[in-house]
Each structure stands twice: as C-alpha cells, then as structure tokens.
Amino acid sequence: MNVGWDLLWFVVAVSVLVTVHEYGHYWVARRLGFKVLRFSVGFGRPLLTWVGRGPDRTEYVLAAIPLGGYVKLLDEREGPVSPGEIGRSFTRRPPWQRITVLLAGPAFNIAFAILLLWLVFWSGGITELRPVVGEVRRDSVAADSGLRTGDEILAIDGAPVAGQREVILQLLDGISGRGRIVLAVRGADGLRREATFAVPEASERRRLTEPAALFSGLGFRFWEPQVPARLGQVLADGPAARAGLREGDTILAVDGEAVGSFRDLVTLISSRPGKTAAVSYRRGGVEHTVRVAVGAEEVDGQRIGRIRVAPPVVTLPDSMLRHTELSSVAALGRATQEAWDMTALQARLFWRMLLGQVSIKNLSGPLSIAEYAGSSAEGGVGAFVGFLVLISLSLGFLNLLPIPILDGGQITFQLVEWVKGSPLSERAQALGQQVGIALLILLMGVALFNDIARQLG
C-alpha cells in the first residue's frame, strides 16, 4: 500500500463529501430562516476565516483537520440569545423545519451521487459486460444448479439483468436474504432454461457474504478472454523489475511449473509470498531463467505473493459488450434509479448484518477506504468518480440511521417532540447521546478491527 498516495486521495474524498453534506444543512437552514453562525470545512485550528456580508455575519472557516466539518446554528441551549433573534434559534423553529434542515445533509450526499452518475451516463453512456459464464467448478452450488460454461444470465428471480455488476449485486442480495435464487439463462445452444442456486445453511450463506467469497463459494466465474503470459507494465523497483524482467517478456514457467496464461502466472506467484521463485521466460526468441524475490501483500485477509507486473492489454470482443447512449433526461432517470437501488441494497444488507445474516467483515474502516481511494485514483477519473458515488451514498445512508449523535437520531428527537408537543427532557437527550456515541464507537471498532485483520492476514 502506498500510504502517502492513499491518504492524499482519502482526504480529498472525505473533504469533498463532508463539504457537500454540511452545505446541505447550511443551504436549507438559510432558506428556512435559521441563523447560521458558522460554516466550517474541517476541524481544529482555523487556517482561513472570513465573515460573510449581510446582517447575519456568518463566519466561514477552513480548518486544519480536513476530515470533517460542521454548521453551527443559533441555539439558545448554547448561550444567551437576544430577544430580537430568539425566533431564529434552532429550538424555536417549527419541528418540520428542523427536520428538513437535518435531512438536508444526507439528501445532498445522495443528490451529489446522482449528479455524478448523471454526468457519467450522459457524457459516456453505459457500457456493460454481458454476464456470460466461464469456468464452473465441479461439485459446487453452481454445478448442482445446472449452470454451464457459456450460459448467459438473463434474469435473477424474474428481474432482468443487463450486465455483470447487476448479477453480482442480485446474487449477494439473494444469498444473504433467501438463500435460494432462480437464474434464467440462455445456453450456448440458444435455448432458455432455469438454474436454481440453493444454500440452505445460514452459516454458509453468511460465509458467502464475506469479502471476495461469493463467486469462489458458489463455484463459478464470468467468462474472461485468454490472456497470454506476456508481461505488460513492469512496475519500476518492483520484484520483477529488480530481477531484470521487462515489458513484453513471455513467461514460460515458475519453479519448473509450466505457465500457459497470465492467470497461471498469477496463481503460481500468489502462492509464493515472501519466497524466491525461478522464473523462466522468452525474450527475442531466447529463453532465460532468473530468480525473483516474490513480495508479500495482504488482500482481503489473505497473504499473497506479488511481483508488481500487469497483464498485456487485451481487448474484449464487441460481442461481450453492451453500450447504450442516453439522452440527458434518460441519463438522469437511470442515475436516480441506480442511486435508489444502491441505497436500498445498503439498507437491506446493513439490517441483515445486524441480524447476523451478513458477515460483519464487510464493515470497512478508514484504512480500507483509504486504500480504495488510492487505487481508484490510480484507475483514472472514471474509477475515482465511481468511488465518490459509493462513499457519498454510504455517507447519506449512514447519517439517516436513528443513532442520536447522527442526523437520523436528531430527526428522531424532533419527531418525538412534534408528536408529544414538548421536547424530550435534557436527561433523556443526554442518555440518547451517550448511547449513540457508544454505538458509533462499537461500529468504528469493528470496522477498524477488520482493517487491521486484513492488513495482518
């Protein structure tokens, strides 16, 4: 992991998304007549401060710690308020207005994700990989269902699927929920039929929801073109480069075991973390053998070998791609639907996690999110935008949870006051805040434990 690079893009992502969130609170509060005292991007010592125009004299702050932010509203609970402004205090505004301000932060995160998706869909359309089945492992759930190599998945539980990503999400949803999924497929012979995945054991279903366990557990993978065992990019100062391997070299064997494809190379190197391997290769028609000190990395909780090389560029056949151009209106509709589907899936999986139906190993902490930020930034603008969409939707969803310290918890307090006609007692609110802090610490502790466990294997 390149710590500096990952940290940089983690800070960029968090700063952008938190600013969007807090701007939602700020913008709606101003429109509804609340007095905004301060809008801060970041915490800690102010680096830059300026005061806005107008009678409110709102203070705008750029602070030293960029991992957060806040909007401070006039509130008589925090100090004396002049009689002329008491009506603009947070506690004196109607409950529906307070709830609207609290909802605005999560709503702006979700709207921001929709905006990004809309721009991506409108500018580049949607390109999807057809969900064609590749290898099916014998004596597996997929094999028992009748799934075969060459089948194209058309629908899951009656819902049509257009690409591999939809299939992955539908499988995860179905396995974690019902444990029985009916796939409509079209075979290589052109005939349609059904394949039923059945995982009756609750413990096995939960295991399949662990990171990177779904396809290996079900026993199949999507079709991939055969990638020759020829090196693409060789990372400077990586194990392969230090051993003298170069871009364009064709790998023949590792420790005497023949290599027929790039996947074979990955499999053999992955099984040798921290070891020295004899790599035979061909360059310019001449065969050579070098000793390569294989590096070791932690990926999804497993220690694997890496020599820091990339596969050659292989173009997928046009028959495997579905590309759809969208008008601005159609792109907006698709973006909204996508954001809704992703948020609803998050909610279902989170609830099932609380019920013990989904592995808690899926909770990611700051270390994992930083790694995702760095790797997506390396993948280019499109990949980083996709990362921002996922994190923005997650931030919007998590803030709606009824945990007192979050927006959702504060909304709950306001709803109770609205119904009963008077605020909750200070004692009840203080107890709620303490419970909320304890729950957040618990969630963050589990997520951080998962991070550390992934790093240590």
Side-chain angles (χ1 to χ4, degrees), residues 22 46 48 50 72 75 141 184 188 249 254 260-261 281 290 296 324 338 347 361 368 377 382 385 387 391 406 456:
E22 296 302 331
L48 182 63
W50 68 98
K72 184 176 181 180
D75 193 326
V141 173
D249 289 345
V254 175
S261 66
Y281 66 97
V290 293
T324 306
E338 188 92 358
K361 293 181 180 180
S368 293
V385 167
F387 167 78
I391 302 301
L406 300 177
L456 300 179

Side-chain angles (χ1 to χ4, degrees), residues 11 23 26 72 87 103 111 131 188 201 219 231 240 311 315 382-383 425:
V11 170
Y23 184 75
Y26 164 84
K72 184 176 181 180
L103 282 171
E201 292 290 333
L231 301 185
T315 303
S425 67

Side-chain angles (χ1 to χ4, degrees), residues 5-17 65-67 370 373:
W5 175 264
D6 293 347
L7 181 60
L8 168 65
W9 289 104
F10 175 71
V11 170
V12 169
V14 170
S15 298
V16 169
L17 297 180
I65 304 174
L67 302 179

Side-chain angles (χ1 to χ4, degrees), residues 36-350:
V36 181
L37 301 178
R38 181 180 300 155
F39 179 12
S40 177
V41 177
F43 295 114
R45 183 173 62 87
L47 300 178
L48 182 63
T49 302
W50 68 98
V51 176
R53 298 176 180 176
D56 286 354
R57 307 291 289 170
T58 302
E59 188 178 44
Y60 301 92
V61 177
L62 182 63
I65 304 174
L67 302 179
Y70 62 93
V71 171
K72 184 176 181 180
L73 304 178
L74 183 67
D75 193 326
E76 60 186 308
R77 295 170 297 182
E78 298 181 1
V81 177
S82 65
E85 293 189 323
I86 194 69
R88 301 184 65 194
S89 171
F90 180 82
T91 54
R92 296 300 183 97
R93 306 300 295 178
W96 72 265
Q97 291 189 0
R98 286 179 255 157
I99 292 170
T100 303
V101 170
L102 291 165
L103 282 171
F108 266 54
N109 278 128
I110 295 172
F112 182 65
I114 293 174
L115 174 64
L116 293 179
L117 286 171
W118 174 62
L119 291 174
V120 170
F121 293 162
W122 186 22
S123 62
I126 299 175
T127 300
E128 295 166 304
L129 293 173
R130 287 175 55 203
V132 176
V133 177
E135 176 187 355
V136 178
R137 194 177 68 244
R138 287 188 297 180
D139 300 323
S140 65
V141 173
D144 292 344
S145 76
L147 196 68
R148 304 169 193 160
T149 298
D151 287 346
E152 180 175 3
I153 301 171
L154 305 176
I156 296 180
D157 288 336
V161 292
Q164 293 182 10
R165 180 176 168 278
E166 283 185 74
V167 170
I168 294 169
L169 296 179
Q170 294 270 21
L171 286 177
L172 182 60
D173 192 15
I175 287 295
S176 64
R178 303 173 299 281
R180 186 177 183 276
I181 306 171
V182 179
L183 281 68
V185 302
R186 180 171 52 228
D189 56 7
L191 299 179
R192 294 173 64 108
R193 66 181 197 283
E194 289 187 346
T196 302
F197 286 1
V199 187
E201 292 290 333
S203 59
E204 178 62 14
R205 294 202 301 270
R206 185 169 55 251
R207 189 189 67 80
L208 289 176
T209 66
E210 293 181 5
L214 182 63
F215 281 89
S216 61
L218 293 176
F220 83 100
R221 65 172 72 226
F222 291 125
W223 179 88
E224 297 175 353
Q226 185 78 351
V227 180
R230 189 174 65 252
L231 301 185
Q233 181 185 14
V234 178
L235 192 68
D237 202 36
R242 288 195 296 269
L245 293 171
R246 302 177 192 167
E247 183 175 347
D249 289 345
T250 298
I251 307 301
L252 306 174
V254 175
D255 287 337
E257 296 186 59
V259 173
S261 66
F262 197 87
R263 181 184 293 175
D264 292 342
L265 174 63
V266 171
T267 300
L268 292 171
I269 291 298
S270 295
S271 65
R272 291 165 167 78
K275 299 180 179 179
T276 299
V279 178
S280 301
Y281 66 97
R282 182 187 299 115
R283 180 188 299 164
V286 180
E287 296 185 9
H288 309 269
T289 299
V290 293
R291 307 286 292 178
V292 180
V294 180
E297 293 186 9
E298 300 297 333
V299 177
D300 293 325
Q302 295 183 334
R303 191 167 182 262
I304 66 172
R306 289 278 176 87
I307 58 173
R308 310 300 292 173
V309 297
V313 176
V314 175
T315 303
L316 286 169
D318 291 340
S319 60
M320 281 296 297
L321 302 175
R322 287 197 180 99
H323 183 76
T324 306
E325 291 290 339
L326 298 174
S327 67
S328 60
V329 175
L332 180 59
R334 179 64 182 265
T336 303
Q337 184 64 51
E338 188 92 358
W340 167 254
D341 290 344
M342 292 167 70
T343 303
L345 179 60
Q346 279 188 88
R348 290 195 296 273
L349 294 179
F350 186 81

